Amino acid sequence: MKIKNKLFLIVGFSSLTTVLLGVFLYFTFQPFYITHLLIGLIVSLTLFIVPTILILLDSVIRPITKLTEGMEIVSLGNLGHKVDVRSNDEIGQLTRATNDLVSKLVTANQNLEEKAQEATRELSRKIEELDFEHKKNIEVGGKTLVEKAKDEAVLASIGHGVVTIDRDGNITFFNKAAETLTNWKSEEVIGKPWFETVPEMAGSNTLVSREGRAVFKALKTGQKIFTTTVILQKGSGKIPVAMTATPIIYNGETIGAVGVFRDVTHEKEVDRMKTEFISLASHQLRTPLSAIKWFCEMLLNGDAGQLNPEQREYTQNVADSSERMISLVNSLLNISRIESGRIIIDPKPTNISQLISEVISEVKVKCDVRKQQIAVSIHSALPLINIDPQLIREVYANLLTNASKYTPPGGEISVFISKNGDELVSQVSDNGYGIPKKDYDKVFQKFYRGENIVKIETEGNGLGLYLVKAIIESSRGKIWFVSEEKKGTTFFFTLPLGGMLAKKGEVTLDS
Amino acid sequence: MSKQKPTVMIVEDESLLLQAISKKLELNDIATIPCISGAQAIEHLSNLLELPDAIWLDYQLKDMDGIEFMEHLKEKEAWAQIPVIVVSNSASKSKVHRMLTLGVRKYFLKAAHRLDELIPIVKQFIEENNTQI
């Protein structure tokens, strides 16, 4: 029942009771006094209103209090709490509506939470993406992470071992090939000292000192260092490697070094085979050549009886051919020695004038036969120059012999030695046949002989200038020429006045 | 006792070269003891009543190399006194140096020299050795 109806009922019922009570009192207390009536009215009103109020309180205040308490519980966080409802009046409806509201609120809250979580997840994903993008573009040593990743992929995929070390010699990077070559895993060596972790062998039993290591030298000198060495692998293995150490220079300061190394086992084997071939060639070819040479000599000497002119001519032809063959073998051997890098370069303080005089006295015999003049002009104040006399003698001998061979009888040959800055410049000129223009780029090639001179001068194997160039270049010098057909040729070459660098090798020329 | 002719022992494993050298020396009035191997040379030295005045040695023999041969020569005092010249196919610095320290008087590269150039040198060593004795 609605509260309004209850009130009406109560008020109606109490008014009726009051009127009935008044009537009853009026008839009971005659004569009528208005005072009695009023007292009666007040008493009856009081008697009926108080319980009415009490009833009202019970049906209205109590549910409201319950609702208030319920709301307090809900507000404290217990969203599942429901207020008990029995009545169907406004308060009951209010309570039900409140309960409903709370449960809707709970559902809404749950949805909201889910949505918030979803949004949070989305947000953190976005943040991560942004962070990655950001990191990608952070410059690391002048490179972005993307570039760095590319570099690492390149380093990982190349066949050479690559190791980087910091300025203290500790390993900071170790690529796949380095792992294969040393048997160490990258994670085992990062942060460890390179020199102790991967030692190098100096001899069969001794290790290369720290100061002797290429990477150390690169760190200390800031120069690129190349060496061949033997590294000890993890375990007991060892392999020969070619090692290039390059300093890492940042802002003018050496902050570390890179070592790049490769297995040269195969190259060593090829080298050994080449050496064997050279020794085989020298032995096996020189033996029969010596026999031809010596028997021809004896025939020509008349040791087997006098030869008639025709026999003498033929025997001389055999002897000449064998000499050419011997010189060819010698040239080939020398080229093999230079090419193999096994040649010993043994610089000694040398008096160039004296060396040239010696060479000229040898060549002069042939020049005299051909009635050629040799003029020599040498800078007067040349210091002793630190060169390998045997190698440089070979250069002058070849150039002078060529000048004589490729100049008609009666021609002129001149040698001019000057100083230009820190270089010694040598010129060997002739007024001979010259080099055809179309052959200019072939002059220093192996077995090249000028088209114009092959017919004129049959002697020559096309190896002289190739050898000369190889010697000059291994002496840190340069060689070039100017030429005009039928006018002559001038060969120029330079040698550093500082001298040649000594090189330990195994062989010398003509041995 | 003075000998009629000086004698040179030739140790050369190439028979043609051995023949050429012997012939040339004989033409120059030198007696020869041609040996085709190192072992044969050592055997001859052990059996000969008179030792040769010089030894002409090839470095690379089939049965031994020059270094081994020189070490054999050191086994007997008298053998070690015989002057040795080496005429070889290869004359690398280290090889030449090694042989000279082992007592070899002179080292020649075979194809680079005429026999005519070598004979006087052999003769000279024989003379030097004889005057010393």
Side-chain angles (χ1 to χ4, degrees), chain A residues 278-289, chain B residues 14 89:
Chain A
I278 290 169
S279 114
L280 185 94
S282 66
H283 193 76
Q284 301 302 328
L285 292 175
R286 276 175 175 163
T287 299
L289 286 170
Chain B
E14 282 291 324
N89 273 324

Side-chain angles (χ1 to χ4, degrees), chain A residues 286-287 294 297 301 303 511, chain B residues 14 24 89 91 113 115-116:
Chain A
R286 276 175 175 163
T287 299
W294 287 349
E297 180 194 332
N301 271 349
D303 291 348
S511 54
Chain B
E14 282 291 324
K24 194 69 192 177
N89 273 324
H113 297 277
L115 287 171
D116 277 349

Side-chain angles (χ1 to χ4, degrees), chain A residues 348-366:
Chain A
K348 294 183 181 92
T350 305
N351 182 334
I352 284 281
S353 317
Q354 198 186 323
L355 189 140
I356 289 168
S357 315
E358 285 168 18
V359 177
I360 285 176
S361 68
E362 286 163 25
V363 180
K364 210 170 181 313
V365 185
K366 279 178 190 164

